[in-house]
Amino acid sequence: MSSENKEQKYSTGIHEVYEEHNENEEINLQNDQKNCAKNPGHTSLVPINELTAEHFPVGYQDEDLLVLTKGIADLTVRIHVGSTKTTGTGIVGQIKKFDEGDKCRNTCPCPACVTSATPNKVWWRVHVLTATHLVFDTKTASSSSCRLWFDEEGSKLFIILGWKLGGSHTKGDVSELYCATHDSEIGDKLEEMLRQVKILYQTVTDKYKSVRDKDKLTIIVSHPHGCSKQVSVGSWVHRDVFNHEMGTQTRYFYDTCTCQGSSGASVYRLGYDWPAHPHSGVNNSGLNYSASGVWDLHM
């Protein structure tokens, strides 16, 4: 492949946020499947509740990998940005509990507590990793809401609200949304889910690290078209490596299926870091690509 053709094939393109028609209306997935120009019928997307080990390639039909994927799905959220009326995906990467003895901030900063005469003194700060093109400033962060555990139509509604932008890297297209909740059911459950995923992640990484560049298995859990959680399985086909003031940066190109609404979803590459690379977009060659990330070359 000539350098010119290679540059074109591995170029960036358009982002995959979903522009909502009505932010208060759950989008009908069946209609979106029929009308989806990129992936008609969504045949390459598997509803999370239907995922089995058989959906992975031969050689990777492993119960540990299945449980890890479902664990990643548990931490995956649908992000609605009210100020732009767009929807994307994110993943809970960290959570911190504050209590009455914490001198850093002793009351919950959610909208209900801010206006209350008796704000909650026990609360959780939830760090959601996503794409900068979805959540990029104070306005988009504070107008964001994250729906948790939206695994199927009719799932019980669990919402945490955006509080502020924890940090962003515009060129790399990675941002961190801080959400706040004083709901102990949500806080305790997320803490336990994150703990379990970290254990599983290390187990699976140790098992497959030596063959991670053989089949380059890549798994994405997202909320296409703002609808319930879907899983896609494919491979990464190219990795850009470049230097930045933050250190060594990488961007991946892959054939793993995505749609509008997948922006910000965690791109899990078997044997590599998690969750450092949010999904960014699709280019003119039909390849999907991630935001940039750091450190994974050294794992």
Side-chain angles (χ1 to χ4, degrees):
M1 184 185 299
S2 69
S3 59
E4 182 178 350
N5 289 339
K6 184 177 181 180
E7 183 177 346
Q8 181 179 5
K9 184 174 183 180
Y10 301 124
S11 63
T12 57
I14 59 173
H15 299 310
E16 291 198 297
V17 297
Y18 184 80
E19 296 183 1
E20 295 187 339
H21 304 292
N22 184 338
E23 65 183 84
N24 297 315
E25 178 182 275
E26 290 295 351
I27 309 301
N28 187 302
L29 179 58
Q30 299 302 319
N31 287 340
D32 275 341
Q33 287 179 333
K34 295 175 183 177
N35 298 328
C36 181
K38 185 183 180 187
N39 298 296
H42 285 185
T43 56
S44 298
L45 292 165
V46 182
I48 184 60
N49 289 340
E50 297 178 15
L51 186 71
T52 67
E54 283 67 40
H55 287 105
F56 301 136
V58 174
Y60 299 95
Q61 295 177 352
D62 174 19
E63 188 65 23
D64 284 339
L65 180 57
L66 176 63
V67 175
L68 174 60
T69 302
K70 290 187 174 182
I72 290 173
D74 285 338
L75 297 173
T76 298
V77 303
R78 185 187 72 174
I79 302 176
H80 172 258
V81 184
S83 61
T84 59
K85 295 186 178 179
T86 54
T87 295
T89 304
I91 190 164
V92 176
Q94 186 178 344
I95 184 169
K96 177 175 173 57
K97 183 178 182 179
F98 294 84
D99 57 32
E100 295 184 35
D102 198 295
K103 296 180 181 180
C104 179
R105 186 179 184 107
N106 58 6
T107 59
C108 178
C110 79
C113 285
V114 168
T115 57
S116 173
T118 56
N120 286 275
K121 295 182 178 180
V122 178
W123 63 282
W124 289 259
R125 184 178 70 202
V126 184
H127 299 218
V128 176
L129 186 72
T130 188
T132 303
H133 69 263
L134 180 66
V135 180
F136 50 84
D137 61 10
T138 300
K139 186 175 182 179
T140 52
S142 61
S143 71
S144 292
S145 61
C146 296
R147 181 170 181 180
L148 306 166
W149 311 311
F150 183 21
D151 293 349
E152 60 186 359
E153 298 302 320
S155 291
K156 185 177 177 180
L157 195 63
F158 290 95
I159 299 288
I160 54 176
L161 299 178
W163 166 34
K164 68 177 183 178
L165 189 66
S168 66
H169 183 201
T170 302
K171 185 176 180 181
D173 198 24
V174 180
S175 68
E176 188 176 40
L177 171 65
Y178 282 179
C179 297
T181 182
H182 54 260
D183 187 327
S184 60
E185 180 182 2
I186 291 176
D188 290 340
K189 188 174 181 179
L190 281 176
E191 282 185 319
E192 179 59 20
M193 286 177 165
L194 190 57
R195 188 186 70 83
Q196 291 288 345
V197 165
K198 287 180 177 179
I199 295 171
L200 281 164
Y201 160 71
Q202 195 57 56
T203 298
V204 173
T205 298
D206 291 343
K207 185 183 295 188
Y208 292 105
K209 186 174 181 179
S210 64
V211 295
R212 65 185 184 181
D213 291 338
K214 179 184 176 183
D215 296 310
K216 304 175 181 178
L217 188 68
T218 303
I219 300 169
I220 297 176
V221 183
S222 69
H223 287 280
H225 306 286
C227 296
S228 57
K229 213 166 287 175
Q230 309 281 306
V231 183
S232 53
V233 181
S235 301
W236 63 269
V237 298
H238 178 72
R239 176 175 58 208
D240 275 343
V241 182
F242 51 96
N243 292 320
H244 189 269
E245 62 264 21
M246 292 178 65
T248 301
Q249 298 279 303
T250 56
R251 175 185 289 116
Y252 286 81
F253 293 79
Y254 37 89
D255 58 17
T256 313
C257 183
T258 60
C259 281
Q260 292 179 17
S262 296
S263 276
S266 179
V267 181
Y268 174 59
R269 291 141 297 109
L270 183 65
Y272 280 92
D273 67 315
W274 172 87
H277 290 71
H279 174 64
S280 188
V282 58
N283 67 16
N284 290 332
S285 299
L287 280 176
N288 298 316
Y289 62 92
S290 73
S292 64
V294 296
W295 308 302
D296 61 335
L297 292 177
H298 309 293
M299 289 189 62

